[in-house]
Amino acid sequence: MQVVTRKSEIKELINICTKEYESKGLNACLLEMENYILTKKIKFPLLEFCGDELYQKVKQEEHIDLCNKIEELKTEGGNVILGIILQNRLNTCFEQSIKKATEYISRADVWYVCDIIGERVYGYALLNNPEKTIPQIKKLSRHSANWVVRALGAGIHYSIKKGLDKENVALVFPILLSMANTRDKEIRQGVGWAAKTTAKFHPEIIDQFDKEVQNKEMVANWFRTKISIGLNRNEYAKRN
């Protein structure tokens, strides 16, 4: 598999795709993307650049059609690109972007789909618009697809790591607690990741919810273990 590592290379490849779009339309663009980008090994920041370029050069009314077609190809890199396109649309089409991200994630057949899209859509939305996003996360935490719930964990992890303020982390943590007794492996992965990050960056929130965390009927041991790991990492960071 060909590896693309330089921005100059990816610029040339995306230009081929967008020129095809301008002259022949969306399907021609997608064919070139499949040939030149989606079948190659490309670093995620370069794929994010592709997503930004496509968002700018493809007509707004065709964004979702493009994302649908990319998702149908089931490539790892395609998830990065469509995630960035949806991320860019959050300012103008918030609910639709969350809905489409959820749709794509619910159809996942491998874990990385959840994490890639979850961070770039749910996580970015939570970081930049917590007031609108937290009710969406609460609603989606009861979603029937375990992939979607895992993706919420990835998104929460991302937003906290990138600097979500303490007040909003405190609003999100009870949602994590509501899922802390699951036996589903995928949900445990995502929710545990977010719980560990909460403890690492905001140990005071763990203190605030200590009674709930220690409730063994409502919270499983795996959740407390993740909390302990996060607290230990917080202490280690202080020492260094």
Side-chain angles (χ1 to χ4, degrees):
M1 181 183 287
Q2 184 181 344
V3 179
V4 178
T5 59
R6 296 196 300 270
K7 194 169 185 179
S8 58
E9 291 180 89
I10 201 66
K11 279 185 176 180
E12 290 181 12
L13 298 178
I14 197 66
N15 281 340
I16 293 171
C17 301
T18 54
K19 283 180 180 177
E20 281 294 290
Y21 170 72
E22 290 164 2
S23 62
K24 298 179 184 176
L26 199 60
N27 288 333
C29 173
L30 190 75
L31 183 61
E32 297 304 315
M33 284 181 63
E34 189 173 9
N35 290 335
Y36 288 102
I37 296 174
L38 298 177
T39 54
K40 292 179 170 58
K41 188 173 182 180
I42 302 174
K43 292 182 177 180
F44 279 16
L46 298 180
L47 290 168
E48 291 179 336
F49 171 78
C50 288
D52 286 330
E53 288 291 297
L54 288 165
Y55 172 78
Q56 292 174 34
K57 294 183 178 179
V58 172
K59 295 175 184 175
Q60 183 174 351
E61 59 267 27
E62 292 187 300
H63 284 160
I64 296 301
D65 193 17
L66 176 60
C67 289
N68 289 341
K69 292 176 185 296
I70 293 172
E71 189 271 338
E72 288 170 4
L73 293 174
K74 301 292 185 184
T75 64
E76 183 176 4
N79 295 300
V80 179
I81 293 172
L82 68 84
I84 291 297
I85 293 172
L86 292 177
Q87 181 185 107
N88 278 304
R89 288 173 59 84
L90 284 166
N91 284 335
T92 56
C93 306
F94 179 86
E95 290 187 4
Q96 184 191 46
S97 297
I98 296 292
K99 182 179 178 181
K100 292 304 294 186
T102 303
E103 179 185 319
Y104 299 145
I105 293 166
S106 69
R107 294 204 293 260
D109 54 8
V110 65
W111 63 269
Y112 59 69
V113 177
C114 313
D115 296 359
I116 290 171
I117 302 176
E119 287 192 8
R120 284 161 183 79
V121 183
Y122 298 153
Y124 185 91
L126 177 59
L127 179 63
N128 291 280
N129 198 338
E131 186 176 339
K132 287 180 73 173
T133 307
I134 290 173
Q136 293 283 343
I137 289 175
K138 188 172 184 178
K139 177 182 174 183
L140 290 171
S141 69
R142 300 186 290 272
H143 199 280
S144 59
N146 62 350
W147 294 121
V148 171
V149 184
R150 173 181 172 132
L152 295 176
I156 293 168
H157 155 79
Y158 170 91
S159 65
I160 295 172
K161 183 179 71 172
K162 293 293 184 179
L164 182 66
D165 61 272
K166 182 176 72 173
E167 290 73 20
N168 281 302
V169 177
L171 294 176
V172 169
F173 190 69
I175 303 175
L176 295 175
L177 279 169
S178 74
M179 301 180 280
N181 207 25
T182 183
R183 295 182 180 181
D184 186 284
K185 173 180 172 291
E186 300 303 335
I187 297 175
R188 285 169 58 176
Q189 288 281 98
V191 170
W193 195 14
K196 181 170 61 178
T197 305
T198 302
K200 178 181 177 181
F201 287 91
H202 296 284
E204 69 280 4
I205 290 176
I206 305 304
D207 290 338
Q208 179 182 339
F209 289 95
D210 182 66
K211 182 179 178 181
E212 290 85 350
V213 170
Q214 299 307 323
N215 184 335
K216 294 184 179 180
E217 290 185 6
M218 302 298 294
V219 176
N221 283 331
W222 62 263
F223 190 89
R224 278 186 290 274
T225 298
K226 293 294 184 180
I227 292 289
S228 295
I229 293 169
L231 292 174
N232 288 337
R233 290 183 180 177
N234 175 269
E235 286 298 320
Y236 181 81
K238 285 180 181 177
R239 293 198 300 269
N240 290 276

